[in-house]
Every structure is written in C-alpha cells, then in structure tokens.
Amino acid sequence: MALSAQQIPRWFNSAKLRSLINAVQLTKCFARPGRTLLHGFSAQPQISSDNCFLQWGFKTYKTSSLWNSSQSTSSSSQENNSTQSSLLPSMNEQSQKTQKIPSFDSELFLEELDELPPLSPMQPISEEEAIQIIADPPLPPASFTLRDYVDHSETLQKLVLLGVDLSKIEKHTEAANLLLRLDFEKDIKQMLLFLKDVGIEDNQLGAFLTKNHAIFSEDLENLKIRVAYLLSKNFSKADVAQMVRKAPFLLNFSVERLDNRLGFFQKELELSVKKTRDLVVRLPRLLTGSLEPVKENMKVYRLELGFKHNEIQHMITRIPKMLTANKRKLTETFDFVHNVMSIPHHIIVKFPQFFNRKYRI
C-alpha cells in the first residue's frame, strides 16, 4: 500500500516511540543475556519458531557438589571454574543465536504499511506534492488520426512494427475504430498466425493488412473454411498463397461466392476445369472484382473486333488481363494494330501481347 507524503513522517514517529517503549520494558523485566541469577542458572535469550518473540529460559547445569555440605573449599573452587568453563559455550551459542535474530523494525514497518488506511482522493495535499505529481496525458475524446492513440495502444504500436500504414487505415472511420477496440493478444495474434500458415511472409504482413484491414472483422473459422474450399478444388497450397497475395480480399468472400465465380468463368468461357483454375491463379482479381467489365469485354471481342469464340479463349488464357482491360483502350489498340499496321486477326490471336503495349496513335 502506498503512503502519502503526510503519512510517512507520522508513521516513523510512532514506530520509533513503539521501539523505545519495548526496549525499556525488556530492560526492566529481564537481565542481560549471560548474567548469573542463581547458583547453577544462566539467563540466555531463545527464539521461538512460532512467533519469533524473545523468550527467556534458564539452563540448569550439573553442580551436584554445591549441594554437598562436606565438600572442601578447594573442590568448590574447582567446580566453580568448571561451571564457568561450561558457561562459555552457552555464551557463544547465545551470541550466534543473537546474530540470527531478524530485524523487528523492518517487519513492523511492513505490518504498519498494511494497517494504514487507503489514501482518500479528497485528501488535501500541499503545493510541493502537487508539483511532483506526473500524470499521463489524457486520451483525446475524438480525433481524425490514429497518431494520437499510438502511445496509448499496444495494438497500434505492434501493427506499426509489422509495417502497417495507419495513415491509410484511418481514412476509413469504421476500420480505425475497430483497431482501437481490438486486443493484440486475443484478436490479432491468431489472425497473424493464420496468415503466415496460408503463405504470407513476415515482410508482406504489413502491406497485406494495410490493404485488407477488414479481415479483422472476419471470423477466423470462416477464413479457414474458405481456404479448405480452395484446397478441395485442387488448388495447391502455393496457388492459394499466390492468390491471397495478389488479391488480399479473396478470403473475405464466402464459399458460395467463390464457387459461383469459378462456375461463371468455366461456363461463360467454356473452359476446362484445369484452364479455369490456371486462369484465376494468374489473375485472382477475377474472383473478387466486378463481373460487369468481364461481360462487356467479351461482347467487344466478339461483336466489335470480330474475334471468334475459340480465338477469344486462346487470347484470354495467354493474357488474362484482357478480360478486365479498359474498353476504350482495347478498341484503340486493335484499330491501330489491325487497321493502321494491317496485322490480320490470326496474327493478333497468336501474339495477344499486342493488347498489352502502348502505341502512340
């Protein structure tokens, strides 16, 4: 229990007075250790193992000659000498035991600390004591930046050490509030271990969590189920790791949505299971992004640019980004390559990299 500056001097005065009274009472009631009180008795201190208080006992020495009236004076003097010699070891033992006596002042000090009443917050203090008080700065009731909370939040501090960019997360109010409520050991540590098991490296965790900070609101068991689903579709563990790194939001989607997306590309593009799997591994954004650009580009290739269905299949399996490319860029590139450079369709199908290059039109 802590003591205030006013209680400490009062306690020392009472402790000193109590020690002085105890010393005087012991001096009056008992003689000094080792002093002879009666013939054959010696007063010496003994320590009780129960209460550690000083007790006074008497040790009787064998002096049978003292009770024999017919003993000569010489024998009496010899016995007195033997008695004194027998007393010396007891005095040594007494001095050794005395050295082992614990400090009663220190024990009483600790007992007095426990007996003192708690310091009341309404108790007045002096100006000197008030100046010595060091208080932590209060948390701001509201803030537009997480920087004001980093010094007070262990979670934010460890996320910064991982490489998370809080300046990007704080732009999303709900995400920033979520991080302030999370406990690192209970809520974040298991998520980090899961991501490492999926295949995210230590130096990639910061960038991943900066982009997909919403993963902290996902249930960990649901995330494991989604990984298990991908593995059940014959995606290797390396494929899943690559997909999660390229598309950080992949695991935020339910199993039903992932299954529908895989079925869409397999049916719409009329691809085999293996080609569909290879397609989404190379461009996992197909599973997380909108399907409208994909549907629109399929119409452009078929209706505006004049490619056949099997030609479209060949090109998108070679260059998956053609499914999500900008419609205007596609038409301008094809017009320059086909109409200006006079490159026929079958050459463009064989080398679809034409659509990845920039031309000065």
Side-chain angles (χ1 to χ4, degrees):
M1 182 183 298
L3 296 176
S4 65
Q6 294 180 349
Q7 288 176 324
I8 291 177
R10 287 183 290 176
W11 181 87
F12 274 115
N13 293 333
S14 61
K16 290 181 179 180
L17 180 59
R18 189 179 293 104
S19 300
L20 179 60
I21 294 174
N22 292 337
V24 172
Q25 290 177 352
L26 291 175
T27 305
K28 289 182 180 181
C29 296
F30 305 102
R32 295 181 179 179
R35 180 181 176 184
T36 302
L37 300 180
L38 294 175
H39 293 288
F41 297 91
S42 175
Q44 50 182 323
Q46 296 178 354
I47 304 300
S48 174
S49 61
D50 296 333
N51 51 20
C52 294
F53 283 117
L54 194 63
Q55 295 181 351
W56 294 81
F58 300 96
K59 182 177 180 182
T60 305
Y61 297 91
K62 296 180 180 180
T63 55
S64 59
S65 60
L66 291 177
W67 305 100
N68 191 354
S69 58
S70 62
Q71 185 180 16
S72 62
T73 306
S74 60
S75 61
S76 300
S77 60
Q78 292 176 357
E79 290 181 359
N80 289 333
N81 293 333
S82 63
T83 303
Q84 292 178 359
S85 62
S86 63
L87 288 175
L88 290 176
S90 63
M91 291 296 293
N92 294 333
E93 295 175 358
Q94 178 268 333
S95 61
Q96 294 176 359
K97 293 180 179 180
T98 304
Q99 294 176 356
K100 298 180 181 180
I101 297 177
S103 175
F104 294 105
D105 292 340
S106 61
E107 294 180 359
L108 291 174
F109 176 79
L110 297 176
E111 293 178 0
E112 291 294 335
L113 290 178
D114 295 334
E115 295 176 359
L116 287 174
L119 181 63
S120 173
M122 303 303 294
Q123 182 176 354
I125 59 176
S126 63
E127 294 183 0
E128 291 77 7
E129 294 174 340
I131 295 175
Q132 296 177 358
I133 296 177
I134 300 177
D136 295 331
L139 285 173
S143 177
F144 294 99
T145 176
L146 290 174
R147 182 179 56 186
D148 297 334
Y149 301 94
V150 172
D151 293 337
H152 308 277
S153 174
E154 180 185 4
T155 298
L156 296 181
Q157 293 173 7
K158 291 187 176 181
L159 288 177
V160 171
L161 293 177
L162 287 173
V164 178
D165 190 349
L166 298 180
S167 63
K168 295 182 179 179
I169 298 179
E170 66 188 14
K171 297 177 182 178
H172 308 276
T173 306
E174 294 183 0
N177 291 332
L178 176 63
L179 289 183
L180 292 176
R181 294 192 302 266
L182 293 179
D183 181 83
F184 187 86
E185 295 294 330
K186 297 180 180 179
D187 306 317
I188 297 181
K189 185 176 180 180
Q190 295 300 321
M191 184 68 69
L192 296 178
L193 294 176
F194 165 75
L195 293 175
K196 286 175 61 65
D197 185 64
V198 169
I200 306 299
E201 301 295 336
D202 292 343
N203 57 355
Q204 298 171 340
L205 285 173
F208 179 88
L209 295 175
T210 301
K211 294 180 180 179
N212 187 15
H213 45 77
I215 197 171
F216 291 123
S217 60
E218 295 288 335
D219 184 74
L220 185 59
E221 293 301 321
N222 290 336
L223 297 177
K224 293 180 179 179
I225 291 174
R226 293 160 192 171
V227 172
Y229 166 78
L230 294 175
L231 295 176
S232 68
K233 293 299 180 179
N234 293 327
F235 289 95
S236 65
K237 192 171 182 180
D239 292 338
V240 175
Q242 180 178 340
M243 293 166 64
V244 172
R245 285 194 295 266
K246 290 184 176 180
F249 294 96
L250 177 64
L251 297 180
N252 293 41
F253 294 98
S254 64
V255 172
E256 291 77 11
R257 175 164 179 171
L258 294 176
D259 189 69
N260 291 335
R261 287 297 180 91
L262 290 174
F264 169 81
F265 289 108
Q266 184 177 358
K267 181 179 179 181
E268 184 72 17
L269 302 177
E270 298 181 2
L271 298 174
S272 64
V273 175
K274 184 179 183 304
K275 288 186 177 181
T276 303
R277 185 167 52 246
D278 294 340
L279 179 68
V280 297
V281 168
R282 296 178 61 187
L283 191 65
R285 289 182 301 171
L286 294 174
L287 299 178
T288 60
S290 175
L291 292 178
E292 294 303 320
V294 176
K295 295 177 180 179
E296 187 68 22
N297 286 346
M298 290 295 294
K299 294 179 181 179
V300 170
Y301 292 129
R302 186 169 55 250
L303 301 178
E304 297 186 20
L305 305 185
F307 289 99
K308 299 178 182 180
H309 186 75
N310 61 335
E311 293 176 335
I312 298 174
Q313 285 181 331
H314 179 78
M315 289 190 296
I316 63 175
T317 53
R318 294 283 302 275
I319 310 294
K321 289 183 179 180
M322 292 178 61
L323 288 172
T324 57
N326 181 268
K327 177 183 175 181
R328 180 181 177 182
K329 180 181 178 182
L330 285 177
T331 56
E332 290 179 351
T333 301
F334 178 80
D335 182 68
F336 179 79
V337 172
H338 181 68
N339 297 325
V340 176
M341 299 178 64
S342 300
I343 298 178
H345 279 78
H346 70 278
I347 299 297
I348 297 176
V349 171
K350 190 174 181 179
F351 300 98
Q353 294 85 355
F354 283 115
F355 292 98
N356 280 343
R357 297 189 176 274
K358 295 181 179 180
Y359 303 97
R360 294 181 180 179
I361 301 175

